[in-house]
């Protein structure tokens, strides 16, 4: 078979089962593609030996007829996931040299299902960022370029390496994590599908924590069908994570009928933003029409607290991060600064943290400790928590009135040039304007590639679903994907 790296998970699974290819062949093809793609900065720790061992084991399993859907499928794993014996650095200097003795539940479930890990993927440091530029490894690069331009674009963040690797066909799919948009925004910037499940669907155990009440892992794939297949393999109850939900995970792929007749799709007024590019507005309208043509009913809805979502998120997420990151003390994990004669434990903490954390992480820790400090706790943190409850209530109310899914743009722009917003945190934070509400409310959300802008860059639409109804959400996304017919691929320059 030719072009093995271009296969979807579903195609590869079927080809493996028919004996048209082997996992070893697929894995070798991906490893070759990865070797030629260093310019993308996507894979930051390559694990070819592990990959070949797992591919051989997968081929045995497939031959024996005992092969789950993910068996033999080569995937990349975001550097935020702890992987046994393999560097897991969350793209931070402070975790330099850290090789966990355990496997995160999600990557472990993929491993048990027979998936083949090719290596670890680039990301923003501790998943804080929207452009993959805060990474200690240097930024990942978007395989897409604007027509007639050789300017390097961001793949988005924080799961930028995952997005770049999947869009460039270095792997069939990748894991991502999403605290405020880090699966959906990079998926939209690179023309792929990104699913953030309901909070509690995927275990957070063994995933380096950013903001524990918001973090969720999810699949980043070439198609909605693949998101269904891989998502199902990643989800499930885990007693090691107290927020993991004890709920059955349905067969999502079997739910992809493409039939959305009678479904009610909400179009939220508050997501129509001043200064939003006309192309995004037009795509959003086109997406709504496509769903209507497929038999859904459109309904204008109001989510009145949307405008407070970004400020609330940028209080809550840093607050939780400042607490989670207190564990990096130079003793338990990774990096420790060189100490001078006479330095004590305080100097060790201070120097290690000053040298080990990058500027954005330090900004979050400072904002977080500030909003949690005695004099400001009520004014900022408690206020943000109340806003969060109101945002969730907005969604609860529209779902209670019969809305099945909500359609919005995924991002306020297409991929932007690397360096463009790096010195402007507020501009950078605006990337998350359509996605953070979903994390604050704990809902499932998916980004589906739906068109190209005038410069030939991909744009995504977001669908937001009812809690625990990823199956229904995926089916609506499938209908949108079918109608949009997005098949464009980046031209190879790397
Ligand atoms: N860009 C957002 C942030 O910087 C979201 C990141 C994420 O989802 N991990 O916090």
């Amino acid at each position: 078979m030719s072009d093995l790296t271009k296969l979807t998970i579903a195609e590869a699974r079927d080809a493996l089962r028919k004996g048209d290819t082997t996992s070893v062949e697929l894995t070798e093809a991906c490893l070759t593609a990865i070797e030629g793609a260093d310019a993308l900065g996507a894979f930051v720790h390559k694990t070819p030996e592990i990959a070949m061992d797992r591919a051989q084991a997968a081929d045995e399993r497939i031959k024996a007829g005992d092969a789950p859907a993910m068996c033999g499928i080569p995937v990349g794993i975001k550097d935020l996931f702890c992987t046994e014996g393999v560097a897991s650095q969350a793209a931070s200097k402070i975790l330099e040299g850290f090789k966990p003795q355990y496997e995160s539940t999600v990557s472990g479930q993929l491993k048990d299902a027979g998936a083949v890990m090719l290596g670890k993927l680039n990301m923003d440091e501790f998943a804080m960022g929207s452009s993959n530029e805060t990474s200690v490894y240097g930024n990942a690069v978007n395989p897409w370029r604007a027509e007639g331009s050789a300017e390097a674009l961001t793949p988005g963040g924080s799961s930028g390496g995952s997005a770049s690797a999947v869009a460039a066909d270095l792997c069939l799919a990748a894991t991502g994590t999403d605290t405020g948009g880090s699966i959906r925004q990079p998926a939209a910037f690179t023309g792929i599908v990104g699913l953030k499940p309901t909070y509690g669907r995927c275990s957070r155990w063994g995933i380096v924590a950013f903001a524990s009440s918001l973090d969720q892992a999810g699949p980043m794939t070439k198609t909605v069908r693949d998101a269904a297949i891989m998502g199902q393999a990643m989800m499930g109850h885990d007693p090691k994570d107290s927020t993991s939900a004890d709920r059955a995970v349905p067969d999502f792929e079997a739910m992809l009928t493409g039939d959305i007749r009678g479904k009610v799709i909400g179009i939220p007024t508050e997501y129509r933003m001043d200064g939003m590019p006309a192309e995004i507005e037009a795509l959003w309208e086109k997406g709504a029409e496509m769903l209507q043509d497929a038999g859904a009913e459109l309904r204008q809805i109001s989510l009145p607290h949307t405008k407070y979502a970004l400020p609330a998120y940028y209080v809550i997420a840093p607050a939780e991060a400042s607490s989670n990151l207190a564990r990096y003390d130079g003793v338990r994990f990774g990096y420790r600064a060189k100490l001078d004669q006479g330095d004590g434990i305080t100097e060790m903490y201070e120097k290690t943290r000053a040298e080990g954390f990058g500027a954005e992480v330090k900004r979050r820790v400072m904002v977080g400790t500030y909003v949690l400090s005695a004099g400001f706790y009520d004014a900022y943190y408690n206020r943000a928590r109340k806003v969060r409850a109101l945002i969730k209530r907005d969604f609860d109310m529209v779902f209670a009135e019969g809305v099945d899914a909500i359609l919005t743009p995924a991002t306020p722009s297409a991929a932007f040039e690397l360096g463009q917003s790096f010195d402007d945190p507020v501009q950078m934070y605006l990337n998350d304007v359509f996605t953070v509400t979903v994390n604050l409310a704990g809902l499932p959300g998916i980004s589906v590639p739906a068109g190209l802008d005038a410069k030939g860059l991909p744009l995504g639409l977001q669908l937001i679903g009812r809690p625990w109804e990823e199956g229904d959400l995926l089916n609506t996304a499938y209908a949108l994907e079918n109608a949009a017919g997005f098949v464009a691929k980046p031209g190879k320059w790397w």
Side-chain angles (χ1 to χ4, degrees):
M1 286 182 85
S2 62
D3 279 348
L4 287 174
T5 64
K6 292 199 166 59
L7 295 179
T8 63
I9 293 174
E11 289 165 350
R13 170 198 59 191
D14 297 347
L16 287 167
R17 288 181 179 171
K18 275 198 271 170
D20 290 347
T21 187
T22 63
S23 179
V24 165
E25 277 177 347
L26 273 172
T27 302
E28 279 172 347
C30 288
L31 291 172
T32 306
I34 291 168
E35 276 319 307
D38 283 347
L40 294 173
F43 277 90
V44 290
H45 299 287
K46 300 170 187 170
T47 56
E49 291 87 13
I50 293 177
M52 290 312 293
D53 282 353
R54 291 198 193 162
Q56 273 152 14
D59 282 334
E60 295 297 318
R61 258 174 102 173
I62 293 163
K63 251 191 255 152
D66 152 43
M70 288 302 292
C71 190
I73 305 294
V75 299
I77 304 288
K78 186 177 182 179
D79 200 35
L80 202 64
F81 291 77
C82 286
T83 42
E84 192 181 347
V86 175
S88 306
Q89 254 184 268
S92 181
K93 179 171 176 177
I94 212 154
L95 279 170
E96 209 172 76
F98 176 57
K99 289 189 178 167
Q101 283 156 18
Y102 45 84
E103 186 81 27
S104 82
T105 298
V106 164
S107 58
Q109 281 180 204
L110 289 171
K111 183 179 167 204
D112 292 346
V116 173
M117 176 173 73
L118 298 161
K120 304 298 286 287
L121 291 161
N122 208 347
M123 53 178 281
D124 281 294
E125 185 178 5
F126 285 106
M128 298 171 189
S130 301
S131 63
N132 209 127
E133 289 168 289
T134 69
S135 166
V136 72
Y137 311 113
N139 56 263
V141 181
N142 196 323
W144 291 83
R145 284 176 164 179
E147 258 159 38
S149 163
E151 209 61 60
L153 302 177
T154 175
S158 67
S159 309
S162 303
S164 173
V166 175
D169 294 319
L170 308 185
C171 51
L172 274 54
T175 63
T177 64
D178 191 312
T179 303
S182 280
I183 287 177
R184 290 160 288 156
Q185 183 252 23
F189 277 11
T190 55
I192 66 168
V193 174
L195 169 69
K196 183 205 89 79
T198 312
Y199 182 78
R201 262 300 193 197
C202 285
S203 169
R204 289 181 296 107
W205 194 82
I207 301 175
V208 174
F210 165 9
S212 309
S213 76
L214 301 160
D215 298 343
Q216 255 305 282
M220 300 179 70
T221 57
K222 297 176 192 181
T223 64
V224 172
R225 180 176 299 279
D226 284 5
I229 297 170
M230 184 169 173
Q232 191 179 334
M234 294 169 71
M235 294 178 197
H237 181 233
D238 177 9
K240 288 190 282 196
D241 171 3
S242 61
T243 59
S244 157
D246 194 357
R247 280 175 182 261
V249 180
D251 181 349
F252 294 133
E253 193 184 8
M255 295 171 82
L256 300 180
T257 60
D259 182 1
I260 57 162
R261 281 173 300 175
K263 294 277 177 201
V264 179
I265 307 293
I267 310 290
T269 314
E270 292 78 8
Y271 283 60
R272 190 156 279 113
M273 308 254 308
D274 282 347
M276 190 159 85
E279 289 170 307
I280 303 244
E281 177 100 36
L283 182 81
W284 188 15
E285 259 165 47
K286 218 172 87 192
E289 274 166 31
M290 289 189 259
L291 293 173
Q292 192 172 32
D293 291 345
E297 176 198 325
L298 301 182
R299 190 182 293 173
Q300 289 297 324
I301 58 166
S302 176
L303 300 166
H305 296 92
T306 301
K307 60 175 175 295
Y308 305 117
L310 262 189
Y313 172 84
Y314 277 99
V315 170
I316 291 169
E320 294 186 20
S322 70
S323 162
N324 273 327
L325 270 53
R327 73 190 67 173
Y328 303 104
D329 54 7
V331 178
R332 284 171 289 181
F333 310 93
Y335 181 77
R336 177 186 295 179
K338 285 210 175 39
L339 300 181
D340 294 321
Q341 192 82 41
D343 279 352
I345 193 165
T346 307
E347 289 78 13
M348 182 185 70
Y349 292 162
E350 285 176 355
K351 289 184 180 175
T352 297
R353 289 170 68 83
E355 291 169 23
F357 289 139
E360 182 61 26
V361 173
K362 285 178 190 160
R363 176 164 25 238
R364 307 274 179 125
V365 170
M366 285 190 281
V367 170
T369 43
Y370 178 79
V371 300
L372 290 175
S373 59
F376 299 102
Y377 192 92
D378 279 329
Y380 292 105
Y381 184 65
N382 264 341
R383 204 126 181 246
R385 287 203 313 175
K386 286 180 194 156
V387 169
R388 180 180 189 171
L390 293 173
I391 288 168
K392 177 158 188 324
R393 204 182 60 179
D394 286 352
F395 282 108
D396 290 347
M397 275 161 61
V398 298
F399 288 134
E401 282 160 12
V403 168
D404 293 293
I406 296 165
L407 181 75
T408 79
T411 57
S413 75
F416 48 89
E417 285 173 19
L418 284 160
Q420 183 179 305
S421 301
F422 192 58
D423 293 332
D424 185 349
V426 173
Q427 187 60 35
M428 193 65 93
Y429 297 170
L430 280 172
N431 270 283
D432 308 318
V433 64
F434 300 133
T435 47
V436 288
T437 51
V438 178
N439 301 73
L440 289 168
L443 302 172
I446 187 166
S447 172
V448 181
L452 296 174
D453 75 356
K455 294 186 202 143
L457 296 174
L459 295 172
L461 288 173
Q462 171 176 244
L463 283 161
I464 304 167
R466 299 165 184 265
W468 314 113
E469 295 192 13
E470 288 88 357
D472 199 54
L473 178 68
L474 283 158
N475 187 43
T476 307
Y478 182 61
L480 181 63
E481 177 185 52
N482 285 340
F486 184 92
V487 288
K489 284 272 194 183
K492 190 166 186 294
W493 53 263
W494 59 92

